[in-house]
Amino acid sequence: MHISRVDLNLFIVFDAIYSEGSVTRASAKLNLTQPAISHALGRLRTMFGDPLFVRKGHLMVSTPLARSIIEPVRQSLRGFEVTLNKLNRFDAATTEKQFTLALRDVLEATILPPLMTAMDRDAPRARVAAVQVDRRELEGELQAGTLDCAIDVLLPLGDDIRHTRILADRTLVVARRGHPRLQGGITLEQYLAEDHVLASSRRKGPGIEDFELSRLGMQRNIRLRCQHYFAACRVVSQTDLILTMPERYARVANQQFDNQLLPLPIGMPAWDVYMYWHANVEDDPANRWLRDKLIAAVVG
């Protein structure tokens, strides 16, 4: 089938139905009527000789063929968008673009305030959505353009994903100000003797610091496992449990708790943070502008 015989707008509809799982929501997203979306879907089905989406309850579930072509379709649509952006010079002062970032909660509190300060000054009509993405889906979302950038630890991603290190953070120990055994410092013996909080989004498994302890033939006692550092800091402020966490977030999260921040008594590699983006937006003016603002927000 020659591309000259294909209405490329059909692929925008295809992407919307795939993303939303509903003709109704796809029509709202594209600001088109439901009959127009249904008509476009009918043309797509005829073109591919496949139903593409099968209704199950309230959802439109993709067929194997639809799942096999969604990424090439999204990459092509993203390529068109990048081309148009190159032709239409990006103007931060007037853009109404929404930038979507993948950020872990530990990074939101340190990156978003300076980023939004810069946005208020330089791009007052732009919007930012900070979302959490399964790391297994990160490469696909960057490729599809549903994410503009991601900030995370070093990840094993493909060659089409560009990355640069933007932060090397130390690790600290957090203890309450009135801790009966810790005042201004902590030895390795004390660190191992105390009960610990581990903050992790994973349901099980050791923390980064536990790998280093295990390498040294040591083990700590984890009394509490929770999902977020902020909750862990509050627990520490009201108990004798101690917490190990990155320094930058520790200084933000503990401002209202007045916890002690103590040097970690074992040598730990820096907590490296990287920024990721897809090769197809390497030279996109809007994405390049965003990357510059993110680096400035981290550097401070």
Side-chain angles (χ1 to χ4, degrees):
M1 184 181 299
H2 195 275
I3 193 171
S4 64
R5 301 177 60 187
V6 178
D7 181 355
L8 298 181
N9 288 313
L10 296 177
F11 293 103
I12 297 175
V13 173
F14 172 74
D15 180 37
I17 297 174
Y18 195 101
S19 298
E20 301 297 326
S22 162
V23 168
T24 301
R25 290 195 293 272
S27 68
K29 180 178 182 179
L30 298 177
N31 197 28
L32 295 172
T33 65
Q34 289 188 42
I37 297 293
S38 297
H39 177 69
L41 178 56
R43 293 174 63 190
L44 284 163
R45 285 168 167 167
T46 300
M47 183 191 308
F48 286 104
D50 186 89
L52 297 176
F53 302 98
V54 179
R55 185 174 296 280
K56 289 188 178 180
H58 297 295
L59 292 177
M60 297 289 283
V61 179
S62 57
T63 66
L65 177 62
R67 291 194 291 273
S68 72
I69 65 174
I70 184 61
E71 291 306 329
V73 166
R74 283 177 169 171
Q75 188 170 5
S76 297
L77 291 174
R78 183 63 175 169
F80 286 132
E81 183 180 0
V82 170
T83 300
L84 291 173
N85 281 337
K86 289 179 180 177
L87 294 174
N88 300 290
R89 180 177 173 274
F90 174 72
D91 183 2
T94 60
T95 186
E96 297 183 0
K97 179 178 175 61
Q98 173 171 297
F99 295 101
T100 304
L101 314 173
L103 282 179
R104 299 282 147 181
D105 65 324
V106 66
L107 296 167
E108 280 192 332
T110 56
I111 291 177
L112 291 183
L115 175 63
M116 294 313 298
T117 298
M119 288 282 190
D120 283 346
R121 182 187 64 243
D122 301 330
R125 297 165 67 181
R127 293 167 292 134
V128 173
V131 301
Q132 189 162 137
V133 176
D134 188 321
R135 285 176 172 139
R136 293 170 296 183
E137 306 296 328
L138 188 62
E139 185 169 352
E141 294 226 32
L142 287 168
Q143 181 183 53
T146 51
L147 284 177
D148 294 292
C149 286
I151 298 180
D152 210 324
V153 297
L154 185 61
L155 300 171
L157 301 176
D159 292 340
D160 285 339
I161 305 300
R162 305 287 190 256
H163 68 276
T164 185
R165 190 176 73 166
I166 60 174
L167 174 65
D169 206 359
R170 291 194 309 161
T171 304
L172 297 180
V173 178
V174 183
R176 73 179 176 93
R177 185 70 60 184
H179 197 290
R181 293 173 296 280
L182 305 177
Q183 293 299 323
I186 182 171
T187 65
L188 179 56
E189 291 72 22
Q190 289 173 317
Y191 184 81
L192 296 174
E194 296 296 329
D195 291 335
H196 293 252
V197 184
L198 170 62
S200 174
S201 59
R202 295 178 293 116
R203 295 181 65 174
K204 58 184 179 180
I208 296 175
E209 53 273 26
D210 294 300
F211 287 110
E212 185 64 22
L213 288 171
S214 177
R215 190 183 68 82
L216 298 172
M218 303 173 185
Q219 185 176 1
R220 60 179 181 160
N221 181 42
I222 298 173
R223 180 101 179 275
L224 170 66
R225 187 186 192 101
C226 65
Q227 299 176 73
H228 301 290
Y229 280 117
F230 184 82
C233 290
R234 187 171 185 182
V235 169
V236 165
S237 72
Q238 299 178 25
T239 68
D240 289 340
L241 299 177
I242 63 174
L243 168 68
T244 307
M245 67 182 294
E247 179 179 10
R248 282 172 64 99
Y249 189 42
R251 296 197 180 281
V252 172
N254 286 285
Q255 286 177 353
Q256 64 180 287
F257 300 122
D258 194 34
N259 289 324
Q260 300 181 76
L261 304 181
L262 310 173
L264 183 68
I266 57 171
M268 280 277 294
W271 195 72
D272 290 337
V273 177
Y274 290 78
M275 179 170 62
Y276 299 89
W277 65 97
H278 197 273
N280 62 17
V281 294
E282 177 79 25
D283 297 320
D284 174 34
N287 194 276
R288 189 169 59 244
W289 180 88
L290 174 64
R291 299 196 306 266
D292 288 343
K293 292 301 176 186
L294 286 169
I295 291 173
V298 170
V299 173

